[in-house]
Structure formats: C-alpha cells, structure tokens
Amino acid sequence: MSAPLVVIQNISKVFTTGKEDPLALDDISAQIPKGEIVGLVGPDGAGKTTLIRLIAGLLMPTKGTITVNGLDTIKDATAIHEIIGYMPQKFGLYEDLTVLQNLNLYADLRAVIGKEREETFKKLLSFTNLARFTDRLAGALSGGMKQKLGLACALIRTPTLLLLDEPSVGVDPISRRELWKMVQDLLVEGISVIWSTAYLDEAEKCQTVLLLNEGKLLYHGTAHNATKRVQGRTFMISNITGNKRQVLKNALCQKNVIDGVIQGSDIRIVTKDAGQIPLNLQTLNAGSAEIKATPPRFEDAFIDILGGGPGGVSLLAELMPNLPEEKAQNTVIEAHDLTKRFGTFTAANKITFTVKAGEIFGLLGPNGAGKSTTFKMLCGLFKPTQGDAFVNGFNLQKAPGDARETIGYMAQKFSLYGNLSVWQNLQFFSGAYNLIGTARTTAVEKMLEIFDLNQFINESADTLPLGFKQRLALSCAVMHHPRVLFLDEPTSGVDPITRREFWNHINGLVAKGVTVMVTTHFMDEAEYCDRIGLVYQSKLITIDTPDPLKAMAKTQNNPTPTLEDAFIHLIEQYDVANGK
C-alpha cells in the first residue's frame, strides 16, 4: 500500500474576530490517498474551504500539522505551491481579460514559457473545449465555461494534487457532467483530486469521502460504507391521491421520520429505525397511497449523520395569511411570445406559458439558455423586445407598479446591500415594500426570529455565511406577504440541510395559495415543481410534470432515469432534431 498523499494530524483553526472565537476546524485527523478523487462534503460553514486552504499552504493552522507529498504546509509552503493546482470557490480569474489572456497570466505566474506554453495551451483548450472562445472576455462566459477556464488555469503546470473548492456551484447538469468527466480523466495522468461539493450525487462518485460539520470530522470513508447505515430505513410513498406537500409535512412530523423529500408524484422518507413499514398512511392524508422500501442513497446517510433534516413545519408559512380561495384556479403568471434581444443576440425567443395560482413552476435550462432573461421580464426587471408579461392580471409594461406590489423576488446572485447590516437590510426592504409603523416593526422582528438572524443582527451582509445570506435574501423577499414569489437559483451553493429548510418554507407558502416560479440547477429540487419548462437556446422546448419528463429518458439500460438524465436527454434530442 502506497504512502498517503496528504496527512492531516490534529488540525485546529481559529479565526480571531475579537468576539468569542469558535473553532473553524476542531482537532481533525485524516489521511488522503494518492490517485483518487476525494470528496469533501458538509453544510455551509462546516470548514471545507478552511481545510482546503490549509492543505494548500495558504493558511496557518492554529494547532496540528499537514503534509502534502511529505512536505510540511508551514515549513515548505513554497514547495507545496509548486506541486498543487487550486481552483477557489469564487471565480478566481479576471473577468475583464479574455480566455487567452487569463491563460497567459497564469502561465506567467507558473513560469510556463516557450514551446511548453504553446503545447500546454493547445492541450488545455482542447481538453476544456474552449479553443473557439479564446478571444471572449471571461466575464462573458457562461457559468460552465467559466468553471472550465478556472480548471484550465489550475492545470497550467500539471499538479500532483488538484484542489477544487465547489467547482460545480451554479453550473447546469450538462456542464457538471462534463466537469466531472474531465476531472476523472486527470486521474490517468497521476493527478490526485480533492473535490469540495454541495452536490451529494458527486460525493457518491468519490472513492473516499470526508464529511465535516461545525469544524468536526464526522465521517471518513467510502460513500458505500456510509450508505450502509441507513439500510432498511428508506421508503417511497407512491400513488398519493391527497396533497403531496401536505403528506410530506405530515410525514416529517412523525417521530420516526428524520428526513423526507418530494420526488415527482412520490415522497421519499428516511426513518430513525430499520424494520417494518413505519407509517400509517391514513394519518398522513395520503388517500390510497402505498409505501414500499427503496434502496438507500448517500444523501440519506449524509442527513442521518448530521442528525436529521429540519422537520416539516414552516414558521414563515404559519405567519402568512391564506389567500382567497376563489383565486385558486386563476392564471397568475402569463408569458405571451416573450422575446428579448440584446443587439443582434436573441436571449429569449417567443416564450409562452401560464402558471396557475398556488402552483410551483420550474424554469430549467443550461447556463446561457435564456432562463434568467425570461425570469427578469416576468418580474418587470427587463423590458421585452416584443411580447407581453402579466402577473396577477397586470401587464408589466403598462402597470409595472401594480404588478410589483404583489411580487417577491430573490435574485440569482445575492442582491442585498453588503455594506449594510442584517437589520438595516430588513429595514430598507420593508420600506421598499411600503411597510410602515407597527406592520414594519413586526415584519422585521418576525423575519429575524424565523430565519434565526438575531445572532447576526448587527453584522454586514457581506460577512454572513452563505446559508444565512440566502436566509436574509429570502426574508427580504417575503416580508410583505407577496402573492407571487420569484426565486432565481435560491439555493445555489447551499448545503442539503439548508435547501430542505428553504423548500419547507416554499411548500408551506404554496399551501397558503402563494404562486412560486423558480429556477434551479439542483434537479432534486426540480422534483418539487408541479410543472417544469425547459429552456434551451433561447426557446421553451417542452413543458410537463416531472414524472413524464423522466419517462422520456427511460431506456433498457436505464429503466429508472433521474430528472438530470431527462434534462440531458431532452437537450440532446433537441440538438439531433435540429441537426446539431
């Protein structure tokens, strides 16, 4: 057995802030083998980025030692920098430089010159399929192309160890698969990889997994062995004739249920104990449903190791008043031939669909397909080149103020004011939504309580952990009790526990009659949608419920396709039909 590539011994890290200083990492020990992709997983703020930066020799540990290929990260930091490639969590390139200029900059930094540079560029541009885009500004690339460029820059000099800090955040399923395949191919060249990720299906593909939570190492081993802990505890509720969101809420309120998610028309649950069928379906109001055992996944084990999910009750939904019942079947969102051109480029082309009251409508598509453009036209943030958008009966071009009064909007990128405190952001947005007096004070207090923001009340938004940034953004979007909620990738980069919390709130709001339109790159989240519209190359190419979309991708080799399989199948099918 070969010696481990990375040896972590009793590592602790404290960041001194002048307050009570919690441990970012707490006495962690692990060995990382050579020749593998090692998954580093855990909730937001678990310590993943801190550990990666310690391994890279970019931070000094408070206690303990780390060696990389026998080199000490404190004494031999410069030598370690020569043998690693590092792709940070945030896009670490220069957006006002072209693809080629970024590569040249990193080649200069790595002293890759002459014929070696020429051959390296040729290889990397081919490897990442960026050869056609060398003159394009990095800031103009799609999310997937940016990540490929970041990977190329990390590989300018072939590393012994490649450190990837959440490389697939905000990237569509096609680009994620391409990135994964590219990184797997690097193993053939003898490169070892540490891959930090919020996508548990990616972690499941790793040979070794390290699970962090609150600075502690909770699990170190294979994903397969972790999954064994929930054997006999995973079930699927099918053929539900009642309201599936209410059934999920009821299931999550059962003492023996630690986790539950919607999968199309079904509900998947994880129980505390193995054994017999755990639930009385009549108590769940599930109608004539049936419940059967289903194979466990690594995600089930992940939630179990962390002590279970957040339950099914949404305090936010309990605060929300019921919308009038007579509105339930009304069309709330309408897009009629929505088209948006930027110069000669058509970002959205004759998009047409409707959304009913109390429906969750998902708008999916690859990076750059036109989702966010369509989304912004429906929110009144972009004026269509042609076509019409209606919300609650108001034409967004003729009566934008009336329409926006009933809308809550959470932007794809954190849209609040980073230099304002949590309290100041809530005050600002409550004023923007015309909340005054007691109503404004009560709304702010309730948001602080429901989203557990009191602990950060005087901290600037920029300094919040990502999960709490997203909580603050959602609280600002819903504090005025909107009838329609637009969520543009609301959980990008957020861990599965926080994502479940968000969807508890969304499901609860929908039960009160709120209409939700959402974009997401998490295909498991798209399962919560009543209907899904797939946007590709500026066009809406299909609309359907999740289960029929998955059925379209069914083959003899893949009899139970995922929604991600369906996403990729439909786009490939469209390309073939259009001669691409």
Side-chain angles (χ1 to χ4, degrees):
M1 185 175 178
S2 62
L5 179 61
V6 180
V7 178
I8 303 166
Q9 292 184 307
N10 305 113
I11 281 291
S12 294
K13 179 63 181 177
V14 178
F15 292 99
T16 303
T17 62
K19 307 175 185 178
E20 183 180 347
D21 298 320
L23 288 167
L25 292 173
D26 187 0
D27 198 26
I28 288 177
S29 294
Q31 294 188 353
I32 294 175
K34 294 179 181 178
E36 290 187 8
I37 301 176
V38 175
L40 187 59
V41 298
D44 178 52
K48 302 186 297 296
T49 296
T50 299
L51 183 57
I52 282 180
R53 296 184 71 194
L54 284 165
I55 292 171
L58 299 175
L59 288 176
M60 297 273 285
T62 304
K63 188 186 81 170
T65 61
I66 300 177
T67 60
V68 179
N69 210 27
L71 298 168
D72 185 276
T73 57
I74 300 174
K75 300 174 185 175
D76 308 309
T78 301
I80 286 175
H81 296 164
E82 292 295 319
I83 64 168
I84 66 165
Y86 175 45
M87 185 173 164
Q89 185 175 353
K90 294 182 179 178
F91 185 54
L93 306 177
Y94 293 87
E95 298 205 352
D96 54 349
L97 297 183
T98 66
V99 168
L100 187 59
Q101 287 169 334
N102 270 287
L103 288 172
N104 275 315
L105 173 62
Y106 275 78
D108 289 343
L109 293 171
R110 287 289 196 170
V112 176
I113 59 175
K115 189 173 183 181
E116 181 187 4
R117 176 181 294 205
E118 183 181 330
E119 292 175 351
T120 299
F121 282 13
K122 183 177 180 181
K123 174 184 172 183
L124 290 174
L125 289 169
S126 173
F127 177 61
T128 57
N129 199 27
L130 289 172
R132 295 171 295 153
F133 306 104
T134 53
D135 293 330
R136 184 173 295 185
L137 293 178
L141 298 175
S142 70
M145 291 167 70
K146 283 182 179 180
Q147 297 302 76
K148 290 175 185 177
L149 177 56
L151 180 60
C153 289
L155 295 170
I156 285 289
R157 185 172 290 285
T158 304
T160 301
L161 175 64
L162 179 61
L163 301 169
L164 303 175
D165 195 358
E166 301 206 18
S168 51
V169 165
V171 173
D172 65 77
I174 293 176
S175 297
R176 277 213 299 136
R177 285 198 180 184
E178 290 174 350
L179 276 170
W180 183 260
K181 175 66 167 60
M182 289 163 60
V183 173
Q184 281 183 315
D185 290 345
L186 295 174
L187 299 182
V188 179
E189 299 184 30
I191 298 172
S192 303
V193 181
I194 296 178
W195 180 305
S196 168
T197 182
Y199 293 92
L200 297 185
D201 58 332
E202 290 178 349
E204 198 162 15
K205 297 174 187 175
C206 298
Q207 294 96 320
T208 303
V209 174
L210 278 70
L211 172 57
L212 296 175
N213 187 45
E214 294 180 347
K216 292 182 169 61
L217 182 63
L218 300 188
Y219 178 78
H220 181 201
T222 66
H224 177 72
N225 283 340
T227 303
K228 287 180 181 178
R229 67 184 285 135
V230 289
Q231 194 73 43
R233 296 163 52 194
T234 53
F235 300 86
M236 194 74 77
I237 304 173
S238 304
N239 301 320
I240 298 167
T241 52
N243 183 315
K244 64 184 178 183
R245 294 189 181 93
Q246 186 61 46
V247 172
L248 174 62
K249 178 181 177 181
N250 293 342
L252 289 170
C253 289
Q254 304 293 310
K255 290 183 179 179
N256 193 37
V257 176
I258 65 167
D259 187 35
V261 294
I262 289 174
Q263 290 191 340
S265 59
D266 301 335
I267 293 172
R268 180 189 187 88
I269 62 168
V270 183
T271 62
K272 286 182 182 177
D273 306 307
Q276 297 180 339
I277 300 299
L279 295 171
N280 181 336
L281 292 175
Q282 288 186 339
T283 65
L284 303 183
N285 295 323
S288 58
E290 58 184 11
I291 182 168
K292 294 181 180 178
T294 193
R297 309 173 303 181
F298 176 67
E299 182 160 335
D300 302 324
F302 176 95
I303 300 296
D304 183 55
I305 291 169
L306 293 178
V313 175
S314 166
L315 296 177
L316 176 64
E318 291 183 353
L319 179 69
M320 184 80 179
N322 283 309
L323 293 178
E325 289 186 14
E326 64 267 22
K327 298 278 188 182
Q329 293 304 314
N330 287 359
T331 297
V332 173
I333 301 172
E334 300 175 68
H336 297 299
D337 287 330
L338 278 183
T339 300
K340 182 65 178 177
R341 298 187 189 93
F342 297 96
T344 59
F345 175 68
T346 302
N349 189 8
K350 295 184 178 180
I351 305 288
T352 299
F353 62 87
T354 60
V355 182
K356 296 289 187 184
E359 185 177 20
I360 300 179
F361 186 88
L363 203 59
L364 308 184
N367 294 108
K371 303 186 305 298
S372 291
T373 299
T374 302
F375 211 74
K376 288 176 180 177
M377 286 191 285
L378 287 164
C379 294
L381 297 175
F382 278 172
K383 183 179 179 181
T385 305
Q386 68 184 61
D388 293 295
F390 295 85
V391 176
N392 285 314
F394 295 109
N395 187 314
L396 280 159
Q397 286 187 264
K398 296 177 180 178
D402 293 325
R404 286 175 189 153
E405 281 185 8
T406 62
I407 289 174
Y409 174 62
M410 184 174 167
Q412 181 177 353
K413 293 183 179 178
F414 186 53
S415 58
L416 306 178
Y417 292 91
N419 59 340
L420 297 183
S421 70
V422 167
W423 185 84
Q424 288 168 332
N425 269 289
L426 289 168
Q427 286 290 329
F428 173 82
F429 279 90
S430 60
Y433 287 125
N434 296 322
L435 295 176
I436 59 174
T438 303
R440 182 177 190 173
T441 301
T442 301
V444 170
E445 288 176 351
K446 287 293 183 182
M447 293 303 106
L448 289 169
E449 177 186 346
I450 289 169
F451 290 98
D452 194 25
L453 291 168
N454 273 304
Q455 59 182 311
F456 302 109
I457 189 168
N458 293 316
E459 295 205 16
S460 64
D462 271 347
T463 64
L464 295 176
L466 178 59
F468 282 96
K469 283 183 179 180
Q470 300 295 73
R471 287 186 179 101
L472 177 57
L474 180 60
S475 68
C476 288
V478 299
M479 63 196 308
H480 62 302
H481 301 160
R483 290 185 175 184
V484 184
L485 190 56
F486 288 90
L487 304 172
D488 196 0
E489 295 189 30
T491 60
S492 181
V494 173
D495 65 89
I497 297 283
T498 304
R499 287 199 286 126
R500 280 161 169 73
E501 176 193 321
F502 266 54
W503 280 97
N504 277 347
H505 292 315
I506 293 167
N507 287 334
L509 291 173
V510 169
K512 293 294 186 80
V514 175
T515 305
V516 176
M517 189 166 173
V518 62
T519 70
T520 180
H521 286 314
F522 286 99
M523 293 297 101
D524 56 337
E525 285 189 351
E527 297 270 15
Y528 283 87
C529 298
D530 296 299
R531 289 186 302 140
I532 291 169
L534 181 57
V535 179
Y536 181 50
Q537 293 187 349
S538 78
K539 296 179 181 178
L540 185 64
I541 65 172
T542 190
I543 296 180
D544 214 327
T545 59
D547 289 342
L549 291 175
K550 287 184 282 188
M552 292 179 190
K554 190 179 292 186
T555 65
Q556 189 172 356
N557 293 330
N558 187 10
T560 56
T562 64
L563 201 49
E564 181 169 307
D565 295 328
F567 180 103
I568 293 169
H569 168 78
L570 288 164
I571 285 173
E572 290 177 343
Q573 191 179 55
Y574 181 87
D575 282 342
V576 170
N578 289 274
K580 295 177 181 177

